Amino acid sequence: MTAEPLSARPQALTDLMGDVGLDERGTSLWQGAFQRLRRNPSAIIGALIVLAFVLVAVFAPLIAPYEPAKSQWIDQVTPSTVPGHSAEHLLGLDPLGSDLFTQLVYGARQSLIIGIVSTAFGLAGGVILGTLAGGLGGWVDTLVMRLVDILLSIPSLLLAVSIAAMLGQRPSAIMIAIGAAQVPIFARLLRGSMLAQRNQDYVLASFSLGLRRRTIVMSHVLPNSLGPVIVQATLTLATAIIEVAALSYLGLGAPDPAVAEWGRMLVKAQDRLQSDPHLTLLPGICIAVTALGFTLLGESLREALDPKSRR
Amino acid sequence: MLRFVVRRLLLLVPVLFGLSVLLFAWLRALPGDPARTLLGDKATPEGIAQLNAFYGFDKPLVTQYLSYTARLLHGDFGSSPRTGQPVLGTFLERFPATVELALAALLFAIVFGIPLGYVAARRAGGWVDRLFVAGSLLGVVIPVFVLAYLLKIVFAVGIPGPLHALAFLPSSGRQDPRIDATHITNFYVLDGLLTREFDASWNAVTHLILPAVALGSIPLAIIVRMTRASVIDVLNEDYVRTAQAKGLSRSLITRRHVLRNAMLPVTTTIGLQTGLLLSGAVLTESVFAFNGIGSYLFDAISGLDYAVLQGFILFIAVIYALVNLVVDLLYGVIDPRLRTS
């Protein structure tokens, strides 16, 4: 992040004015935001949840006692009962005969991968479209924004459903679908943020220094417009994790029923809701807590970056 | 005013055109051969060819699209190859159920959301406020269908033990099939009132409660937060201080100055919930076997039903756009400053 306002100064300007002393540096936007975040309890709770989630996802093979999605103990599962807690299985088995604790741990990994890949995909598409619209303006802007309008006229879950249905039963379908449904949201947000930057004095100054339009857009306007987009990306990770579960529920995504994915586990346990509610509750709690972590972090970040809350 | 409405409606035309092209392209690229899906394992090559010719699946895509739009413009949305029913007819038949459900959910969200948000704002920073804000966060992060299952198990199916007494609500459907109710509009609650079959009306209401609470949970959380933020903003305005300095009663200030101004952003937020309600309906309706467009769309997704998917998503987009237009118009009613411009 080119956060330092002074280091972001165009080279031409530095040449004209000479180097700046350290004492001239103030607190940058992101430094200030970080200081405010550290004082905010909900930001700390959110960050801890996210940290724990990422650690579990990364070190899943070390934490989980067994291999995921193997259905090794399918013979112990009957249509009406599922073995509960025992010495070998901390949380018992899942309805497809895998260790429930192992499945939950690997579910974190699955959620993290789907969340990050789909958000990165949506972010990349949104940044490209948003930069084209906000940076070039004119007919490109009109064209891109009409496309964005069309995409936004479909509720995002239904958009994701249509795309996932088109891509068929493969694991990547869900990631692409969720990411693609986020593209218009990121594009519109970035364009708005870039339009607000375009009339700033520093942009005028860069133009008057004779910098090329591409340089101004890419190295000045874009980095300064990314704040709201990064906040949205954090919040999108929460939505992505919930939407994965919804798409799994609708029967889209990976064809393997035993796969360690929280949404899928929840759906497979629904007919045992009355006899073994923990099979539905535990993945549901995992989804909710993880989404809560990203939401708390994202909203604290939004507050911290908001000019109104700055002194 | 009229010019504004007409202009907004005209803006809808390019959006709908683009949408129909996108939907057509996407849904035609769906994997799986619809004729094969339809005829099942016993499909003969001749049978598949015959069906493809009948529905025009064998023509070039551009021809298929043009004939599709031509029929669209005549109000013919085709019929579902799966059930043989016309898409428009099915939609109109099932739409009242979803509207009834969405309105009930919205009513639940508004009736609880605005007062809770107001109370939280009045006690901003206190423990009541923190509790409500935390609760509203929970409402957003719990997946709709998880909540739907939880409600269903506690209040309809019943958990074994002392809490079984809580299970007093019906678990599925829109009305008890044993009730011989007359249906005029397909809004079951309204039908019962119109025909004076009040027990039928009441029965439909009890069937609505659980799906409406599940579907309304996210809008409720959003409305609480929006009302809270908006009321806090307004309470800090100079005109509120002036009103207090003039010695106006607290209830008068609340009604005329605080709520009236604070409701502007809340109205927009409520309008924006339409999309959420319609997509949430796909999940909620299937949990409660509620025969609206949501559960039909759910079946269409697994049945590769192009005609239904296309038609329904197009309908949903139109409704979404129209609701947002109505919200913009309502804005003028609530905010006198916007009425003249």
Side-chain angles (χ1 to χ4, degrees):
Chain A
M1 196 79 258
T2 49
E4 310 276 320
L6 294 178
S7 65
R9 179 177 286 171
Q11 190 55 45
L13 207 59
T14 314
D15 292 346
L16 283 173
M17 294 173 60
D19 211 7
V20 275
L22 267 178
D23 51 331
E24 238 185 90
R25 290 163 182 264
T27 326
S28 81
L29 175 67
W30 290 89
Q31 277 173 347
F34 184 66
Q35 280 165 11
R36 275 185 297 277
L37 275 185
R38 279 196 317 196
R39 286 196 297 268
N40 185 349
S42 54
I44 293 171
I45 297 173
L48 286 178
I49 294 176
V50 169
L51 187 69
F53 167 68
V54 172
L55 287 179
V56 169
V58 171
F59 295 107
L62 298 178
I63 300 169
Y66 303 102
E67 292 264 297
K70 282 278 187 275
S71 302
Q72 305 95 309
W73 301 282
I74 188 71
D75 47 319
Q76 295 180 32
V77 178
T78 68
S80 56
T81 57
V82 174
H85 166 77
S86 64
E88 294 93 54
H89 305 290
L90 183 64
L91 297 172
L93 298 180
D94 77 352
L96 293 153
S98 302
D99 181 62
L100 183 59
F101 180 66
T102 304
Q103 293 288 86
L104 286 175
V105 168
Y106 274 92
R109 177 173 268 207
Q110 191 77 11
S111 282
L112 183 71
I113 294 172
I114 297 181
I116 287 183
V117 172
S118 63
T119 305
F121 184 71
L123 195 62
V127 166
I128 292 171
L129 286 182
T131 310
L132 281 176
L136 294 176
W139 65 268
V140 181
D141 186 24
T142 314
L143 189 74
V144 171
M145 289 329 282
R146 283 294 86 79
L147 182 71
V148 166
D149 279 345
I150 293 169
L151 291 177
L152 285 176
S153 71
I154 314 173
S156 79
L157 182 68
L158 292 184
L159 188 59
V161 164
S162 351
I163 300 170
M166 183 187 91
L167 294 171
Q169 297 244 309
R170 45 185 140 135
S172 59
I174 282 190
M175 295 190 229
I176 298 174
I178 294 175
Q182 298 292 346
V183 168
I185 301 172
F186 282 121
R188 166 170 285 193
L189 202 63
L190 183 62
R191 172 186 176 264
S193 169
M194 284 180 83
L195 287 187
Q197 294 290 326
R198 208 151 69 177
N199 299 323
Q200 298 278 320
D201 288 342
Y202 75 91
V203 177
L204 189 68
S206 310
F207 268 115
S208 62
L209 282 168
L211 291 182
R212 276 181 309 172
R213 186 190 188 91
R214 199 179 66 195
T215 318
I216 299 174
V217 168
M218 297 310 286
S219 33
H220 301 298
V221 179
L222 185 60
N224 281 300
S225 313
L226 280 177
V229 178
I230 288 166
V231 170
Q232 179 65 33
T234 318
L235 294 171
T236 301
L237 276 167
T239 342
I241 288 167
I242 297 173
E243 285 197 350
V244 172
L247 292 186
S248 274
Y249 172 76
L250 292 171
L252 300 159
D256 181 8
V259 71
E261 197 274 300
W262 292 336
R264 186 62 63 99
M265 291 166 66
L266 211 151
V267 177
K268 293 293 162 202
Q270 58 182 280
D271 46 342
R272 296 173 191 266
L273 195 54
Q274 205 170 5
S275 54
D276 293 288
H278 71 282
L279 294 176
T280 309
L281 282 179
L282 289 176
I285 291 172
C286 288
I287 295 170
V289 169
T290 312
L292 182 70
F294 282 108
T295 309
L296 283 176
L297 195 61
E299 296 203 336
S300 319
L301 199 59
R302 190 211 311 265
E303 246 170 60
L305 284 171
D306 184 0
K308 272 195 285 182
S309 67
R310 259 187 277 155
R311 293 277 160 266
Chain B
M1 190 62 162
L2 188 68
R3 268 186 58 184
F4 173 72
V5 176
V6 171
R7 223 177 65 115
R8 284 287 304 265
L9 285 174
L10 282 178
L11 272 177
L12 201 59
V13 175
V15 170
L16 283 181
F17 170 72
L19 191 64
S20 70
V21 175
L22 276 186
L23 278 178
F24 184 82
W26 275 339
L27 297 172
R28 269 317 125 99
L30 279 169
D33 185 344
R36 198 174 288 278
T37 316
L38 213 77
L39 294 174
D41 298 334
K42 291 184 197 125
T44 57
E46 298 82 48
I48 292 176
Q50 212 177 353
L51 202 81
N52 278 338
F54 183 73
Y55 285 107
F57 292 147
D58 56 343
K59 303 241 174 57
L61 283 178
V62 178
T63 321
Q64 285 191 39
Y65 175 73
L66 286 179
S67 64
Y68 176 69
T69 27
R71 283 186 286 116
L72 278 190
L73 292 174
H74 287 96
D76 176 8
F77 286 77
S79 55
S80 157
R82 200 165 40 98
T83 60
Q85 301 290 318
V87 174
L88 188 64
T90 315
F91 184 84
L92 293 179
E93 188 190 309
R94 284 178 169 247
F95 191 51
T98 302
V99 172
E100 207 171 54
L101 176 58
L103 285 180
L106 206 54
L107 187 74
F108 163 74
I110 292 172
V111 165
F112 287 94
I114 291 178
L116 288 181
Y118 177 76
V119 170
R122 276 289 188 182
R123 285 153 215 262
W127 66 269
V128 174
D129 176 38
R130 286 198 195 150
L131 189 75
F132 287 180
V133 171
S136 68
L137 260 182
L138 279 186
V140 179
V141 297
I142 298 178
V144 177
F145 59 94
V146 176
L147 186 65
Y149 275 123
L150 284 180
L151 290 172
K152 187 172 167 176
I153 186 88
V154 175
F155 296 106
V157 181
I159 29 180
L163 286 175
H164 198 274
L166 287 172
F168 61 97
L169 287 166
S171 65
S172 61
R174 293 183 64 195
Q175 204 168 44
D176 196 324
R178 282 167 297 183
I179 292 182
D180 181 28
T182 327
H183 297 304
I184 316 165
T185 59
N186 266 337
F187 291 95
Y188 283 10
V189 179
L190 185 69
D191 281 348
L193 295 177
L194 289 176
T195 55
R196 304 194 151 267
E197 293 165 352
F198 296 119
D199 56 328
S201 232
W202 175 246
N203 189 271
V205 169
T206 59
H207 278 82
L208 268 176
I209 295 174
L210 290 182
V213 170
L215 186 56
S217 64
I218 295 180
L220 171 70
I222 294 172
I223 291 174
V224 168
R225 302 173 60 117
M226 198 65 216
T227 309
R228 176 183 175 273
S230 175
V231 169
I232 288 178
D233 275 353
V234 173
L235 284 176
N236 288 327
E237 290 283 350
D238 289 340
Y239 56 75
V240 174
R241 199 170 324 136
T242 309
Q244 280 163 347
K246 281 199 300 189
L248 294 186
S249 75
R250 187 169 157 141
S251 73
L252 192 70
I253 298 175
T254 303
R255 262 183 294 128
R256 197 171 290 168
H257 299 282
V258 179
L259 278 183
R260 187 134 191 190
N261 286 297
M263 281 309 107
L264 287 175
V266 179
T267 315
T268 322
T269 314
I270 292 173
L272 290 174
Q273 303 311 308
T274 327
L276 211 59
L277 287 172
L278 289 172
S279 44
V282 180
L283 304 168
T284 321
E285 286 184 6
S286 59
V287 173
F288 291 101
F290 198 88
N291 282 328
I293 54 168
S295 55
Y296 198 68
L297 204 58
F298 184 90
D299 296 340
I301 293 169
S302 48
L304 288 182
D305 203 331
Y306 296 156
V308 172
L309 274 174
Q310 267 177 338
F312 275 36
I313 290 184
L314 210 55
F315 283 127
I316 288 172
V318 174
I319 290 156
Y320 196 31
L322 288 180
V323 170
N324 282 330
L325 174 64
V326 171
V327 170
D328 280 358
L329 294 180
L330 268 182
Y331 227 83
V333 178
I334 309 175
D335 191 349
R337 285 171 301 182
L338 293 178
R339 227 171 277 166
T340 43
S341 58

